[in-house]
Amino acid sequence: MLSPPWCERCGAPASRPVTSCGDCPPDAIAIARAPFGFDGPIRRSIHRLKFGGLRAVADALGVAMTEAWADVPWTPSVLTWVPLSRERLAARGYDQARALARAVAPRLGVPAVPLVRRLGDPEPQARRGAAARREAMRGVFEAESASGGVLLVDDVLTTGATGGACANALLEAGAEAVGLLTAARAVSSARRPRPILGHGLASGSVVAPGNGSPAVDASRGRSDPRKPTLGR
């Protein structure tokens, strides 16, 4: 699990505490947190949630996400999520960010409300740099009327282009501030702590098995005794 020392604004690992860093998301996002690096078993678990609809993964990650938000000095008035396009939702039948938001909201004691609408769906952005991603996401989202602090939930933080576009829409709709909470974030090898994972999920969960139990291979959705448990 990611832990200090880190960037106080975005939670990226650092050799010493800093107030901001080169990995911070766009300025529209006031603060960001994620419990895990997007790597190894967590990466496979998120892919299983995203493309296989394994809802138990959302519940397990929701616990860790809530713990990751515990150090943030403000409580949002409402929680929302980054929505899928209609086409992707129809193809998958499942919105992973909504599932994560529904897992986190009751633990934070705030309502989960669909405030953001997606107006378009740019081409896949995996091969684009940060600036190109942000340009592609410009104007893709609009938001319902909002007020107070809004916590935006998504599955993974990479460059922050998508979260930043949603945050801009929420601020234009009246939100005072927007925070971003994701299940995982991209962490460069230079910043990556050893180990990334080690605690934060309930023992015996589909993401972090208990002592003596085989690790769950989330890409297969079953126990795989050949795989080591997380944190090793």
Side-chain angles (χ1 to χ4, degrees):
M1 192 168 186
L2 300 178
S3 61
W6 57 19
C7 170
E8 295 174 0
R9 179 168 174 248
C10 77
S15 59
R16 59 181 178 80
V18 293
T19 56
S20 63
C21 71
D23 290 336
C24 280
D27 292 344
I29 297 171
I31 192 166
R33 287 291 184 272
F36 301 113
F38 189 48
D39 196 10
I42 293 298
R43 185 186 186 102
R44 292 193 295 272
S45 295
I46 291 174
H47 281 175
R48 183 63 174 139
L49 168 67
K50 192 170 184 175
F51 300 111
L54 187 59
R55 294 172 188 262
V57 174
D59 292 334
L61 290 173
V63 173
M65 292 167 71
T66 304
E67 292 181 3
W69 192 255
D71 78 297
V72 177
W74 62 275
T75 300
S77 57
V78 68
L79 185 149
T80 194
W81 60 92
V82 176
L84 287 177
S85 66
R86 290 183 179 179
E87 292 77 10
R88 291 190 184 186
L89 181 59
R92 297 178 189 174
Y94 182 76
D95 187 332
Q96 74 279 356
R98 178 180 180 272
L100 291 170
R102 292 295 178 91
V104 170
R107 293 181 170 92
L108 290 182
V110 296
V113 180
L115 294 178
V116 181
R117 291 187 299 275
R118 186 183 286 261
L119 304 178
D121 193 16
E123 294 296 320
Q125 305 211 63
R127 297 184 179 181
R128 292 176 174 171
R133 289 186 182 205
R134 292 174 188 177
E135 182 60 32
M137 298 306 297
R138 190 185 301 274
V140 169
F141 299 99
E142 67 177 12
E144 299 284 349
S145 178
S147 62
V150 178
L151 181 56
L152 179 67
V153 170
D154 203 5
D155 54 356
V156 180
L157 168 61
T158 49
T159 65
T162 301
C166 287
N168 278 324
L170 287 164
L171 291 171
E172 291 174 0
E176 294 179 7
V178 179
L180 176 65
L181 179 60
T182 60
R185 63 163 299 141
V187 178
S188 67
S189 58
R191 289 180 175 270
R192 187 174 296 136
R194 292 291 187 259
I196 283 182
L197 310 178
H199 60 85
L201 291 178
S203 177
S205 75
V206 294
V207 181
N211 294 334
S213 65
V216 170
D217 181 345
S219 65
R220 302 178 186 179
R222 61 178 174 82
S223 296
D224 186 346
R226 298 172 298 173
K227 293 194 174 288
T229 55
L230 301 185
R232 296 182 182 177

